[in-house]
Amino acid sequence: MATRTGITSPFTSRSTAADVIAGIDLTGRRAVVTGAASGIGVETARALADAGAEVTLAVRDTAAGDRTAKDIRATTGSEGVRVAALDLTDPASVRAFTAAWQGPLHILVNNAGVMAAPESRTPQGWELQFATNHLGHFALTTGLHEALTAAGGARVVSVSSSGHLFSPVVFDDLHFTERPYDPWLAYGQSKTANVLFAVEAGRRWAADGITANALMPGGIQTNLGRYMDDARMGLFMTHLQAVLGEGTPLPEMSFKSVEQGAATSVLLATSPLLDGISGRYFEDCNEAPLHQPGTNTGVAPHALDPEAAERLWQVSEQLLG
């Protein structure tokens, strides 16, 4: 892999979405944020609306989306906030969303996700975390390709996680039919897929003026952690120790506010520093270096592998028919 200069910004782990978007005018721009009814999705949408963008909250629970939209309108004064139904695990719902979209789309933030879920499959037999975190967003983004192209300089933002360090995409057993189900390996695989998608979308769509990047938002205590019981926490620590290496002390858990958690997403969606930048992985508002043994930061080489990225795209198209 050729050496390239990492993208840096003046922002840090403590910066908020409001900090990174200060001075940026999104008037006339249109954005979609998935999973925008809770957690960092709310603050991502709020920052975009406050900067003048017309924002669509793409959510499974439209009642919760309506409450969020009302709150964002009240805090930003923006009337350009709408709600649309989207269930990422249901291909028909994704098709309905993309078919209904009219006109250009400048910013797509693939933010929705599920973490460490109990073993579950969609009616198609897809493992739930892979289906939600990757396949649903793949179908959505490819379905909106014409709208993104029409925008001229559109940006796709994929919310990944340091959990991608737990697992590459296991092409021989994507849906845990041959191996025992492990909620963290399933999550890790799906989060690696989020990065690989940005790598391949950036390559395929460069001529269309579309860029795609992925990010780790940081540790934030939101509804994403609803499955975190003692057993799952113990299993998480086991996988984390494997990433760090035996004998490396486990780091103290530190958490960001939701406003800080949304900052890197908003940076990738809006900052002039990211003009023309694609296929990269960021954490704490800066491009992440390659993962180093003994740490739980950085990006794993398996998440940037261009061959894996191309294969994942092809497999995803086959699965979705």
Side-chain angles (χ1 to χ4, degrees):
M1 191 177 295
T3 304
R4 63 186 181 191
T5 304
I7 303 300
T8 59
S9 83
F11 305 107
T12 69
S13 63
R14 310 327 298 173
S15 300
T16 65
D19 293 334
V20 303
I21 207 168
I24 293 175
D25 183 4
L26 298 180
T27 303
R29 304 289 181 90
R30 304 172 78 209
V32 169
V33 182
T34 69
S38 66
I40 64 172
V42 175
E43 299 312 319
T44 301
R46 191 189 314 277
L48 298 175
D50 200 32
E54 174 193 301
V55 183
T56 297
L57 315 182
V59 298
R60 189 172 55 183
D61 182 345
T62 54
D66 288 338
R67 290 191 295 271
T68 300
K70 183 179 179 181
D71 172 61
I72 292 174
R73 291 186 199 109
T75 57
T76 64
S78 170
E79 289 303 313
V81 184
R82 58 185 288 266
V83 177
L86 176 69
D87 182 347
L88 290 165
T89 65
D90 179 1
S93 173
V94 178
R95 284 193 297 271
F97 183 95
T98 59
W101 186 268
Q102 300 288 318
L105 175 60
H106 303 83
I107 297 166
L108 172 58
V109 183
N110 290 325
N111 165 84
V114 61
M115 181 178 77
E119 184 170 11
S120 181
R121 286 179 174 76
T122 68
Q124 295 82 4
W126 304 332
E127 188 277 316
L128 181 68
Q129 296 188 79
F130 189 76
T132 306
N133 298 346
H134 168 64
L135 284 174
H137 281 127
F138 179 90
L140 176 70
T141 311
T142 54
L144 291 170
H145 176 244
E146 285 188 14
L148 292 163
T149 301
R155 295 188 184 188
V156 177
V157 179
S158 291
V159 178
S160 180
S161 166
S162 60
H164 85 274
L165 297 169
F166 292 164
S167 178
V169 172
V170 181
F171 289 102
D172 293 338
D173 190 20
L174 289 173
H175 306 295
F176 288 83
T177 54
E178 304 297 323
R179 52 187 166 143
Y181 179 73
D182 181 310
W184 289 110
L185 293 182
Y187 179 68
Q189 171 177 255
S190 73
K191 294 288 105 177
T192 291
N194 292 152
V195 189
L196 290 173
F197 174 73
V199 170
E200 183 65 4
R203 184 187 74 82
R204 285 179 179 245
W205 295 346
D208 301 320
I210 300 167
T211 59
N213 292 287
L215 70 123
M216 156 63 168
I220 308 107
Q221 292 177 303
T222 68
N223 190 42
L224 185 68
R226 60 189 175 276
Y227 299 118
M228 290 293 283
D229 56 16
D230 289 345
R232 272 181 174 66
M233 197 65 201
L235 190 58
F236 171 81
M237 290 300 183
T238 299
H239 285 300
L240 179 58
Q241 189 69 71
V243 166
L244 293 169
E246 291 303 321
T248 304
L250 291 170
E252 286 188 29
M253 301 295 267
S254 62
F255 294 97
K256 296 182 178 184
S257 68
V258 284
E259 294 85 1
Q260 291 167 335
T264 308
S265 295
V266 173
L267 181 91
L268 298 189
T270 66
S271 174
L273 295 170
L274 274 294
D275 284 347
I277 299 299
S278 207
R280 307 198 187 194
Y281 174 89
F282 290 72
E283 53 194 7
D284 296 336
C285 296
N286 290 273
E287 186 177 356
L290 285 175
H291 170 68
Q292 298 298 318
T295 71
N296 65 332
T297 58
V299 60
H302 66 237
L304 297 178
D305 179 359
E307 290 183 7
E310 184 175 12
R311 184 179 179 186
L312 178 64
W313 192 285
Q314 292 169 348
V315 166
S316 302
E317 285 183 330
Q318 291 164 2
L319 286 170
L320 290 160

